[in-house]
Every structure is written in structure tokens, then in C-alpha cells.
Amino acid sequence: MNRFIAATLLAVVTQISLAQTQLDGMTLRGLAVYQQLRTDYYIAGLYLPSPAVEPNDAFYMPGRKRMDLRVVAESWSDRRFTQQWNQLILINNSPDVQKAQSDNIIAFGKMLKDDLKAGDHLTIDYLPEQGTEIKLNGTTLLKTDDPEFFNLLLSCWIGARPPSSAFKNDILQMPQDESGTALLASFEIAAPSQARIAETKSWAADVSTTRQAKPVEAPAPQVSEKQAEAEKLAAEQARREAEAEKARQAKLEQERLRKEAITKALAAAEAKAKAAARSKELINEYSSNMVRASYQHVRYPKRALKLNQQGTVLLEVVIDRDGNLVSSKVIQSSGYGALDAAAVTAVEKTAPFPAIPEGIAGGQIEFTLPFTFQISS
């Protein structure tokens, strides 16, 4: 059964394709569904004289062009129609282009007199040397001799921010799969009733014609309430994006500073540890030299020798950076006063000592010096 339906659909599409995809020197080059919040609003068709590989091919291609909209939503209010188009115009055109086209944009937002219905057929034609003409169900609603207005509207489909990337791809190149075939059939079948055609004819009473881009020196036009609302929404969105980007950059900077502080702290700790290790090494080397120098002045007391007195004395010696002796005292006695005194005397006779090396910090440096008195056998 499904194969029969597919075959029938293919036959219908084949019959209508020759009549409908070729139009006044143009060919239907692409089809796409405009959707917002999961609601299908219209099937879009783009007619061009020749294929367009890139968007610029369509923008600058000579000859007649058409943007074809077949409404599929049961009802599409004129307010929502204007909002959706204004949002796409704002994000796909520079402020200078919008300013130059402001009269046409306002007229475009006012051309509908009531809601659109399923089956309505809206065409936007670029006519070489004539301008842009917009019709609803065959009735002209807007006509301008400004050729750039067509590209402003076309940018809403294939500009930098289209409805979606899939929409942009499909509108420039006809989908070739089965869904593309079904979409073509839906596109061609969508049509207004005779009663609807008669109803929309009455909308032509207020048609604005020959709207050119306003001269630069002309006063700025009054902005419509709908356009002002769209601009307000776009400005708010831009503000939020800017704030989000600012917060993101601040967070990145905070993280960078944190990592930098950690790196500096680690480097400082490593340098401090190396300095401490080097200082300890220098102190040990210097104190060893002090002991060797002091030993040259050690005299074993004669009475201690007769009494066979032996032992080790620990002295706390403080010197300044120039090597001058500040103080010396016994912090561990040998047990014999004569031996303790001999050690203190040796240190006093050795002073002044060599200047303290640069690697040892402090104005005065404290050393612990051992002196061992031992009688050889």
C-alpha cells in the first residue's frame, strides 16, 4: 500500500514539476520548511535563473528571482508574521542597510490586513529594472522600485543567521530524497480557495507603491511599534550575550590568575628550600673551618693531663658578619672546668674569624662548636 502511495505521489509530482518548477525563465532551486517552536508555518521555495552554490550567487545573480511562501499553518497572525520577519531582518542586515530600507521595512510590516490562513500563497518577486513586488494569492500588497529590498528579505533565508542551517541548505539546493519529493508535492498542492482569493483582493486598497530607499539626508522615519518591539528584543538579547561573554572572560581571567599565583608560590617555595639547603651547607662548612682554626689555639691544661681529665665541650659561639666574636659560652660541659675554659680561650684567641659568606643570612650568626679533649695512649 505504501509503495502504491509513493508511486502515485511521484507521478503527481512528475506531472506538476514541468509546469510549476519552471516559471518565466526561473527554476525552482530549493525547498525548505520554516518552523518555529515545533510549528510549521510555511513551505519556502526559491526560484532562480540558474543554480546557486553559495549565498552570494543568489544575491548577485542577474535576472528575475522569486521567494515563494506556501502557508501550511492553520492560522498565522499578522502580528506574529511581522515579528518573525523583523527578527530575521535585524540579525541578518547591518544597521546602515536597515536604515536605508526603513520605509520598505515598515510598509512590509503593515501590508497584511488580517491573519494568514493555510493555503495562502505569498510571492516576493525581484523584477529587473522594476524593483520588488509582493503578492498574496495573486493580489499585489506592496511594490517598490528599490531593487535592494529583495536582497534584504532574501538574507532572512540565506544570510549569516538563517532560520536554521538545514533551511539554508535546502533552500539553495533541492532535497533529493523521498522527503524532498513529498515536500515538493505538499508545496504544489498548497493553494488558496476561490473564496480566500476573493477575500484577500480587498487588501489591495491600501497598497503602497514605488517605495524607494530614503536619501541619506532625509529625516529618520517613525519606527513602528512592532519594529520597536523587535529591536528591543534584539538589544536585550545582545545585552545578555555581552554580559555572558563578560562573565566568561572574567572567570577565565580569575582562573588564569589562580594558576599564576600557584606557579609563583611553588617557585618561591622551591627557591626558599634551595636557599635554606644552601645556607645550611654553608653554615656546616663555615663552622667546620672555625673548629679547625680554633684547634690551633687549644692548649691541654697541665693539671688536667696529670689528673687524666678527658671530655667534650660544646660551645655556643656568636659572631657578626665581619667575623668578630660577639659571645661564646659553654652549653655542654666536659665535666671539668679547666677543659671548658681551655675551649673558650681557644675560640677567643682565634677571633676574628673570616667574614660570613653571602649565602648565610642574618646580622649575627650562632654556631655550635665541639671541642674534644682526649689523652693519647
Side-chain angles (χ1 to χ4, degrees):
M1 182 63 179
N2 290 337
R3 292 183 179 178
F4 173 75
I5 294 174
T8 302
L9 182 60
L10 180 60
V12 171
V13 172
T14 303
Q15 290 175 6
I16 63 177
S17 62
L18 293 177
Q20 303 295 336
T21 61
Q22 302 291 333
L23 180 66
D24 295 335
M26 302 179 292
T27 300
L28 182 61
R29 301 297 177 181
L31 283 174
V33 177
Y34 179 84
Q35 186 183 74
Q36 195 173 67
L37 300 178
R38 298 184 180 180
T39 298
D40 293 346
Y41 283 91
Y42 63 86
I43 302 174
L46 181 60
Y47 287 84
L48 298 172
S50 56
V53 178
E54 300 291 337
N56 281 343
D57 296 340
F59 285 128
Y60 301 114
M61 185 181 297
R64 184 174 176 180
K65 309 169 195 176
R66 169 175 286 187
M67 297 169 65
D68 198 327
L69 291 75
R70 310 290 176 95
V71 179
V72 294
E74 183 176 350
S75 180
W76 189 9
S77 72
D78 59 330
R79 181 184 63 83
R80 186 173 293 276
F81 172 91
T82 302
Q83 281 183 341
Q84 291 173 353
W85 277 94
N86 277 342
Q87 288 173 5
L88 290 170
I89 288 172
L90 284 170
I91 62 178
N92 285 287
N93 293 275
S94 68
D96 290 342
V97 171
Q98 294 177 52
K99 183 177 180 180
Q101 294 290 336
S102 58
D103 283 344
N104 290 326
I105 294 172
I106 293 172
F108 181 77
K110 293 180 177 180
M111 68 181 183
L112 297 183
K113 306 307 176 186
D114 203 347
D115 297 350
L116 293 171
K117 305 294 184 183
D120 278 345
H121 184 188
L122 186 71
T123 57
I124 304 172
D125 283 304
Y126 169 69
L127 306 173
E129 300 181 1
Q130 296 182 48
T132 304
E133 184 176 21
I134 302 177
K135 293 182 179 182
L136 177 63
N137 300 330
T139 296
T140 300
L141 298 185
L142 177 63
K143 189 173 182 180
T144 171
D145 60 2
D146 183 358
E148 293 303 318
F149 186 53
F150 181 86
N151 279 345
L152 177 137
L153 296 177
L154 182 59
S155 70
C156 296
W157 283 2
I158 62 174
R161 296 183 178 179
S164 69
S165 57
F167 183 100
K168 184 174 181 177
N169 292 335
D170 291 345
I171 204 66
L172 286 173
Q173 186 174 2
M174 183 78 71
Q176 299 298 318
D177 55 9
E178 290 184 4
S179 62
T181 302
L183 186 61
L184 178 59
S186 299
F187 176 77
E188 298 298 350
I189 291 172
S193 65
Q194 290 301 315
R196 180 60 175 169
I197 292 174
E199 179 185 354
T200 52
K201 275 187 178 181
S202 63
W203 295 10
D206 299 325
V207 172
S208 299
T209 60
T210 318
R211 292 180 177 267
Q212 299 187 27
K214 71 183 180 90
V216 175
E217 65 274 9
Q222 295 297 317
V223 179
S224 70
E225 181 179 349
K226 294 176 181 178
Q227 183 179 358
E229 182 181 353
E231 290 177 351
K232 183 179 179 180
L233 289 174
E236 177 64 17
Q237 179 66 21
R239 183 188 67 79
R240 290 180 180 177
E241 291 178 355
E243 288 182 353
E245 178 62 18
K246 183 178 179 180
R248 189 181 73 85
Q249 292 296 334
K251 187 175 181 180
L252 290 175
E253 178 63 13
Q254 184 179 12
E255 181 65 15
R256 184 189 69 79
L257 292 175
R258 187 184 70 83
K259 290 181 178 179
E260 184 178 293
I262 291 174
T263 300
K264 287 182 178 179
L266 290 174
E270 183 179 0
K272 185 177 180 180
K274 288 182 178 179
R278 177 57 179 163
S279 177
K280 184 176 181 180
E281 180 182 341
L282 290 173
I283 289 174
N284 291 336
E285 181 180 346
Y286 189 83
S287 62
S288 296
N289 292 335
M290 290 176 66
V291 170
R292 283 194 294 271
S294 298
Y295 274 7
Q296 296 178 13
H297 297 90
V298 173
R299 298 292 181 268
Y300 212 119
K302 293 181 179 180
R303 181 174 177 78
L305 285 171
K306 291 179 179 181
L307 297 175
N308 197 31
Q309 295 176 346
Q310 303 180 80
T312 298
V313 184
L314 288 182
L315 297 184
E316 180 186 87
V317 178
V318 179
I319 63 174
D320 62 20
R321 295 206 65 85
D322 293 329
N324 298 312
L325 181 64
V326 176
S327 66
S328 63
K329 65 179 180 179
V330 177
I331 58 174
Q332 181 178 312
S333 175
S334 63
Y336 303 101
L339 297 180
D340 294 348
V344 171
T345 300
V347 169
E348 291 174 346
K349 288 183 177 181
T350 306
F353 296 93
I356 299 298
E358 290 298 327
I360 301 176
Q364 293 183 347
I365 297 86
E366 180 182 297
F367 298 92
T368 300
L369 303 182
F371 290 86
T372 299
F373 293 86
Q374 184 176 9
I375 300 174
S376 300
S377 58

